[in-house]
């Protein structure tokens, strides 16, 4: 019996399976403060010891050293898995910037290695970087009207994970690639139609180590009054349009309830879809010069009009019109406003048949209510190419083109992009200024 017990004891206690180390949040660079989560496990004999340290300039700094008591002769201990959070703050630890080696070691309760146990090691070369990047703004004037756009050009002192302009709480990313100098970035940004002239604007950047910097820059924000309009609905319009949305609203229920669902819920869902589409932008500026408008067209509705929807004398809803409505003859050929890549072709709720074109660096144009589409997704278009024909699809009450311009995920006033002087003063001159 004693011999059997000894054999069993040796089988259990001399197991040779090494502990497992699974780090989360471990990157190549460590900034001012970074947390690394370790999941340590040993399913056989349990965890005996955990050690974490950093080797820098020939000196080893211990971050964590934990030893666990054994709980039984046969079992080793009951600590089979342990999540462990390691906080690395180089300045607090007296570590200077530069290359270092992060070391992790775990021992289990096995009797292997003359009682030291099975050991697992993990080593990773890291770069300690506690210095935030530097930003130099190169463009000198940034005059923005509510609902309008602007361009800023800036230089970063190092490659960064993200950079761009923060307008209030809204972030507009910047991109390198236009200039030969890889440290030069450009960012198109907007002051929303609903943002005031007291909105805070900052250029921000976060480097690979997570160090952040935020600086102000010269800007002049101008208030703009937007028109209000009344849209009168009747049963004739509802009977004409609501069947187009039966997939979303169903066949049962009052026409007015269906309209409200379309005008509120589906409108919001359409906007969220557009945001996703335009987020995939080319890092190439496809466009040049002023944008075209529908030839021979009259303006029927303006950007950021505050619309009140009236039914049988009562106001039933309010929405904001995020584009310009242009009317010409029925089924007019619609030219693309400027060169770009077709990023979307299809039907999109209230907008009906839609084409969206990516002009690069976060700038897009949208063409809605089309009767027919004559381009395909990913097709490269040259300024003036015909992409479709005006129509009445979606919530259109008559044949027209709904035209929108977006800067990243935000609708902006198209009138600026039709203005040759605005393009010259706000885009072209800044680009020329940035190149010596």
């Amino acid at each position: 019996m004693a011999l059997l017990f000894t054999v069993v004891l040796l089988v259990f206690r001399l197991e040779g399976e090494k502990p497992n180390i699974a780090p989360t949040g471990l990157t190549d660079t460590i900034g001012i403060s970074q947390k690394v989560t370790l999941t340590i496990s040993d399913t056989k004999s349990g965890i005996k010891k955990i050690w974490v340290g950093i080797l820098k300039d020939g000196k080893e700094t211990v971050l964590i050293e934990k030893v666990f008591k054994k709980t039984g002769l046969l079992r080793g201990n009951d600590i089979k898995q342990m999540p462990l959070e390691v906080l690395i703050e180089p300045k607090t630890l007296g570590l200077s910037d530069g290359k270092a080696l992060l070391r992790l070691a775990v021992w289990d309760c096995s009797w292997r290695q003359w009682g030291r146990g099975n050991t697992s090691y993990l080593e990773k070369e890291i770069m300690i970087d506690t210095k935030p990047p530097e930003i130099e703004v190169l463009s000198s004037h940034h005059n923005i009207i509510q609902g309008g756009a602007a361009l800023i050009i800036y230089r970063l002192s190092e490659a960064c994970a993200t950079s761009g302009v923060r307008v209030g709480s809204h972030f507009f990313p910047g991109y390198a690639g236009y200039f030969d100098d890889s440290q030069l970035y450009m960012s198109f940004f907007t002051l929303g139609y609903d943002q005031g002239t007291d909105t805070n604007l900052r250029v921000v950047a976060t480097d690979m180590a997570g160090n952040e910097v935020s600086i102000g820059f010269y800007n002049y924000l101008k208030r703009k009054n937007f028109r209000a309009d009344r849209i009168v609905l009747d049963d004739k319009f509802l009977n004409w349009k609501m069947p187009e949305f039966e997939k979303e609203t169903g066949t049962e229920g009052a026409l007015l309830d269906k309209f409200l669902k379309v005008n509120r819920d589906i409108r919001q869902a359409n906007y969220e879809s557009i945001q996703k589409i335009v987020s995939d932008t080319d890092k190439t500026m496809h466009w040049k010069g002023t944008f075209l408008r529908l030839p021979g067209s009259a303006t029927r509705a303006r950007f950021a009009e505050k619309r009140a929807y009236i039914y049988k004398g009562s106001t039933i809803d309010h929405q904001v019109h995020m584009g310009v409505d242009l009317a010409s003859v029925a089924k007019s050929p619609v030219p693309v406003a400027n060169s770009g890549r077709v990023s979307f072709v299809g039907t999109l709720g209230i907008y009906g048949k839609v084409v969206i074109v990516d002009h690069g660096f976060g700038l897009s144009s949208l063409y809605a209510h089309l009767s027919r589409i004559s381009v395909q997704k990913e097709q490269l278009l040259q300024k003036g190419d015909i992409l479709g024909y005006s129509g009445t699809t979606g919530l259109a009450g008559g044949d027209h083109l709904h035209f929108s311009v977006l800067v990243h995920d935000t609708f902006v006033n198209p009138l600026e992009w039709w203005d040759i002087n605005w393009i010259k003063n706000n885009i072209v001159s800044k680009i020329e200024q940035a190149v010596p």
Side-chain angles (χ1 to χ4, degrees):
M1 182 62 72
L3 179 61
L4 179 60
F5 175 79
T6 301
V7 172
V8 171
L9 178 64
L10 291 175
V11 169
F12 276 97
R13 303 302 281 114
L14 286 172
E15 57 88 11
E17 185 176 301
K18 292 184 177 182
N20 183 61
I21 307 173
T24 304
L26 183 55
T27 60
D28 293 333
T29 55
I30 304 294
I32 292 175
S33 179
Q34 182 166 335
K35 290 181 180 178
V36 177
T37 300
L38 306 174
T39 300
I40 311 296
S41 61
D42 188 276
T43 58
K44 294 292 181 66
S45 58
I47 302 165
K48 182 172 69 174
K49 183 179 177 181
I50 299 172
W51 186 93
V52 182
I54 292 180
L55 180 64
K56 177 75 169 68
D57 300 327
K59 177 186 175 183
E60 199 163 59
T61 302
V62 178
L63 302 179
I64 288 178
E65 187 170 14
K66 288 181 176 288
V67 179
F68 305 96
K69 293 181 179 180
K70 298 177 181 178
T71 55
L73 185 62
L74 279 174
R75 294 180 302 175
N77 70 31
D78 294 327
I79 304 174
K80 308 298 183 185
Q81 182 169 308
M82 170 173 285
L84 191 65
E85 193 172 78
V86 182
L87 179 62
I88 305 176
E89 296 180 321
K91 288 187 176 180
T92 303
L93 297 168
L95 301 175
S96 60
D97 284 8
K99 291 183 179 180
L101 186 66
L102 180 64
R103 289 175 170 172
L104 302 90
V106 181
W107 293 262
D108 67 12
C109 295
S110 171
W111 284 355
R112 291 289 182 106
Q113 305 299 320
W114 300 101
R116 292 192 300 270
N118 301 302
T119 310
S120 291
Y121 294 98
L122 189 154
E123 290 189 347
K124 181 177 178 60
E125 289 187 355
I126 57 173
M127 176 65 71
I128 297 175
D129 177 10
T130 61
K131 183 181 178 182
E134 295 179 0
I135 302 173
E136 178 189 4
V137 176
L138 302 179
S139 45
S140 60
H141 61 279
H142 310 91
N143 304 321
I144 320 168
I145 301 175
Q146 279 180 299
L151 171 68
I152 192 168
I153 299 173
Y154 56 94
R155 175 181 281 112
L156 296 178
S157 61
E158 60 179 288
C160 288
T162 60
S163 73
V165 178
R166 185 173 291 122
V167 181
S169 61
H170 205 111
F171 177 71
F172 297 90
Y175 301 103
Y178 182 85
F179 304 100
D180 292 337
D181 186 346
S182 62
Q183 291 182 305
L184 287 188
Y185 287 70
M186 63 191 333
S187 173
F188 289 99
F189 63 98
T190 79
L191 179 68
Y193 76 93
D194 54 353
Q195 290 182 299
T197 55
D198 59 347
T199 303
N200 186 33
L201 277 64
R202 310 284 288 180
V203 185
V204 298
T206 303
D207 67 15
M208 302 303 181
N211 302 305
E212 299 180 0
V213 64
S214 170
I215 67 168
F217 61 95
Y218 171 81
N219 62 81
Y220 174 72
L221 309 183
K222 185 177 180 180
R223 187 174 179 273
K224 180 177 176 60
N225 292 319
F226 296 101
R227 290 177 37 164
D229 194 14
R230 299 170 78 252
I231 307 295
V232 179
L233 305 172
D234 56 25
D235 290 335
K236 182 179 179 181
F237 174 80
L238 297 178
N239 277 303
W240 171 34
K241 282 296 170 181
M242 288 308 97
E244 194 172 329
F245 298 93
E246 282 185 354
K247 184 177 179 181
E248 294 90 350
T249 63
T251 57
E252 302 297 326
L255 288 174
L256 185 57
D257 292 338
K258 292 181 179 181
F259 172 80
L260 291 174
K261 178 177 177 61
V262 171
N263 208 40
R264 295 170 182 172
D265 300 344
I266 295 177
R267 180 186 296 273
Q268 178 61 30
N270 295 158
Y271 173 55
E272 292 171 3
S273 296
I274 292 169
Q275 284 183 305
K276 292 179 182 178
I277 294 165
V278 300
S279 66
D280 182 18
T281 185
D282 293 345
K283 310 307 184 293
T284 300
M285 188 178 288
H286 296 298
W287 65 278
K288 185 176 182 181
T290 55
F291 280 53
L292 300 177
R293 61 175 283 156
L294 183 67
S297 61
T299 301
R300 297 304 186 201
R302 291 171 171 78
F303 174 76
E305 279 186 354
K306 299 172 183 178
R307 289 180 165 180
Y309 292 83
I310 314 299
Y311 179 72
K312 293 183 178 180
S314 298
T315 301
I316 59 168
D317 201 11
H318 291 90
Q319 297 295 337
V320 180
H321 185 246
M322 303 310 293
V324 175
D325 287 349
L326 303 171
S328 182
V329 298
K331 298 185 179 179
S332 293
V334 176
V336 64
N338 221 313
S339 301
R341 172 183 59 86
V342 178
S343 57
F344 178 82
V345 170
T347 300
L348 200 58
I350 66 166
Y351 297 97
K353 291 183 179 179
V354 170
V355 173
I356 299 176
V357 176
D358 174 40
H359 302 288
F361 289 97
L363 182 64
S364 298
S365 56
L366 178 148
Y367 310 77
H369 305 314
L370 301 175
S371 60
R372 179 159 59 95
I373 294 172
S374 55
V375 294
Q376 297 178 339
K377 186 178 179 182
E378 303 303 331
Q379 185 175 340
L380 293 176
L381 302 179
Q382 296 301 311
K383 183 177 178 177
D385 288 349
I386 303 303
L387 56 78
Y389 298 83
S390 65
T392 60
T393 57
L395 273 185
D399 189 293
H400 72 278
L401 170 70
H402 173 97
F403 176 71
S404 293
V405 176
L406 295 102
V407 171
H408 299 289
D409 59 359
T410 303
F411 289 101
V412 297
N413 197 338
L415 269 65
E416 294 181 336
W417 301 89
W418 291 332
D419 185 340
I420 188 170
N421 290 320
W422 185 87
I423 294 285
K424 180 180 178 180
N425 294 331
N426 294 276
I427 308 297
V428 176
S429 64
K430 290 183 181 181
I431 293 174
E432 291 176 347
Q433 178 187 359
V435 181

